[in-house]
Amino acid sequence: MELARHIEGLGYDTLVMPDHFGARFALAPALVLAAEATSRLRVGSLVYDNDFRHPALLAQEVATIDLLTDGRFEFGLGAGWLKSEYDAAGLPFDDGATRVERMAEALQVVKALFSATACSHDGRFYKLTGMVGSAKPEQAPHPPVLIGGGGRRLLTIAAQKADIISIMPRSRRDGSGLEDADASPEAFTRKLAWIRDAAGDRFATIELNTLVQTVVITDRPREAAAPLATEYGMEIDQVFETPLVLIGSVDQIAEALEKRRERFGLSYVTVFEKDLENLGKVINRLRR
């Protein structure tokens, strides 16, 4: 609750949490407490792993969070990507196409259950007979849906179904992490074209997001960018253009964000807790 108040005080709009096993808070109760501790801060999942819950349970949880936060919830949903987590929990880690298709079907079921009327569904992965959703969410017809990813199949579904799309590098086929080589500005441009083509007329209503991996405030930006160029397999100049990295003075970072909004349409930027204070300085600069 104290962290949520601090985040709100820094000027952030939304506090999001990932969905992983381990020594961490469960997503739902923590987000409800964060909203209770603040006056305007929105909260969200970034993102629920679809394979961890049946969609009937997920619909119940999402509707409950939205009601208890007075409609301040953003519903992020993903297909799952970290194989080690599946292995530890004894869950099968299916191929990417299967996981993405299952997530798309689950989203359809979840949305149907938000109506709080009897729902029957006969799909490849889920079968429901006369199930009634437990509650309608506060936000009608449902909280904003966020889907993130880097592959064409997932981004196509996001373009057709999501209100917010988080553009990221592709996950590796073996489930070990993200493809660092897929972080270039050219890759983001290509993915934006996929989204635009798949979304059609609804593209103008979609908000675009990315999760920035690091924010470095420095008066020696090229020195700070050098190790990242090696990590991502790109030239130093490209590091300053990829939406995954923010490096420079406060003014330089503010200018970079404005340029990325113009170039990529990115208006929603997420950072890790380690970068809260650094981006908070940029927020104050942008709001002057």
Side-chain angles (χ1 to χ4, degrees), residues 59 66 89 101 220 257:
D66 199 49
E101 185 179 346
R220 296 183 176 181
L257 286 171

Side-chain angles (χ1 to χ4, degrees), residues 10-126:
L10 287 173
Y12 287 91
D13 296 303
T14 310
L15 167 62
V16 295
M17 286 181 61
D19 184 32
H20 293 292
F21 297 126
R24 58 175 67 237
F25 286 134
L27 196 151
L31 290 181
V32 170
L33 275 175
E36 180 69 19
T38 55
S39 60
R40 61 163 186 81
L41 194 69
R42 292 183 64 80
V43 295
S45 53
L46 193 70
V47 291
Y48 275 114
D49 186 323
N50 178 64
D51 289 336
F52 293 170
R53 298 166 189 80
H54 189 281
L57 178 61
L58 182 59
Q60 182 182 44
E61 184 163 314
V62 169
T64 300
I65 297 174
D66 199 49
L67 286 166
L68 294 179
T69 61
D70 296 324
R72 285 193 272 158
F73 182 60
E74 291 179 0
F75 173 32
L77 181 64
W81 59 277
L82 190 58
K83 185 176 183 296
S84 62
E85 208 163 31
Y86 282 68
D87 291 344
L91 297 173
F93 188 75
D94 294 322
D95 62 89
T98 299
R99 285 181 282 116
V100 169
E101 185 179 346
R102 184 162 51 233
M103 183 210 72
E105 186 177 327
L107 181 59
Q108 180 183 351
V109 172
V110 168
K111 286 183 175 180
L113 288 170
F114 284 153
S115 67
T117 58
C119 170
S120 294
H121 177 87
D122 186 11
R124 175 184 173 189
F125 302 102
Y126 305 107

Side-chain angles (χ1 to χ4, degrees), residues 12-286:
Y12 287 91
D13 296 303
T14 310
L15 167 62
V16 295
M17 286 181 61
D19 184 32
H20 293 292
F21 297 126
R24 58 175 67 237
F25 286 134
L27 196 151
L31 290 181
V32 170
L33 275 175
E36 180 69 19
T38 55
S39 60
R40 61 163 186 81
L41 194 69
R42 292 183 64 80
V43 295
S45 53
L46 193 70
V47 291
Y48 275 114
D49 186 323
N50 178 64
D51 289 336
F52 293 170
R53 298 166 189 80
H54 189 281
L57 178 61
L58 182 59
Q60 182 182 44
E61 184 163 314
V62 169
T64 300
I65 297 174
D66 199 49
L67 286 166
L68 294 179
T69 61
D70 296 324
R72 285 193 272 158
F73 182 60
E74 291 179 0
F75 173 32
L77 181 64
W81 59 277
L82 190 58
K83 185 176 183 296
S84 62
E85 208 163 31
Y86 282 68
D87 291 344
L91 297 173
F93 188 75
D94 294 322
D95 62 89
T98 299
R99 285 181 282 116
V100 169
E101 185 179 346
R102 184 162 51 233
M103 183 210 72
E105 186 177 327
L107 181 59
Q108 180 183 351
V109 172
V110 168
K111 286 183 175 180
L113 288 170
F114 284 153
S115 67
T117 58
C119 170
S120 294
H121 177 87
D122 186 11
R124 175 184 173 189
F125 302 102
Y126 305 107
K127 298 184 185 299
L128 285 73
T129 304
M131 174 164 281
V132 179
S134 62
K136 289 184 178 181
E138 179 74 14
Q139 299 173 91
H142 53 73
V145 173
L146 180 152
I147 296 176
R152 185 164 193 167
R153 181 184 289 106
L154 185 53
L155 289 175
T156 296
I157 291 171
Q160 297 166 347
K161 305 294 184 183
D163 304 294
I164 307 165
I165 300 177
S166 186
I167 304 174
M168 294 296 295
R170 294 187 308 271
S171 58
R172 298 190 183 108
R173 290 182 181 275
D174 63 3
S176 62
L178 300 179
E179 292 282 4
D180 290 340
D182 195 42
S184 69
E186 292 77 18
F188 271 76
T189 300
R190 182 170 61 252
K191 293 171 189 185
L192 186 58
W194 294 342
I195 294 169
R196 190 186 299 274
D197 289 345
D201 292 341
R202 73 186 303 270
F203 179 77
T205 68
I206 296 172
E207 187 169 22
L208 298 178
N209 165 274
T210 197
L211 173 57
V212 172
Q213 301 299 296
T214 188
V215 181
V216 181
I217 295 179
T218 176
D219 57 0
R220 296 183 176 181
R222 294 190 70 83
E223 288 183 19
L228 292 169
T230 301
E231 178 181 347
Y232 291 130
M234 61 179 68
E235 300 296 326
I236 288 180
D237 288 341
Q238 286 184 299
V239 172
F240 294 106
E241 297 197 19
T242 174
L244 292 180
V245 174
L246 289 168
I247 301 176
S249 67
V250 169
D251 286 343
Q252 287 171 332
I253 291 176
E255 183 179 352
L257 286 171
E258 290 172 336
K259 287 182 177 178
R260 289 172 192 178
R261 183 173 56 191
E262 294 173 4
R263 178 177 179 181
F264 301 110
L266 291 168
S267 60
Y268 188 168
V269 175
T270 306
V271 296
F272 291 102
E273 186 176 350
K274 66 182 178 63
D275 294 317
L276 278 178
E277 303 300 329
N278 279 348
L279 193 67
K281 298 173 184 176
V282 180
I283 291 172
N284 287 333
R285 160 66 177 76
L286 288 168

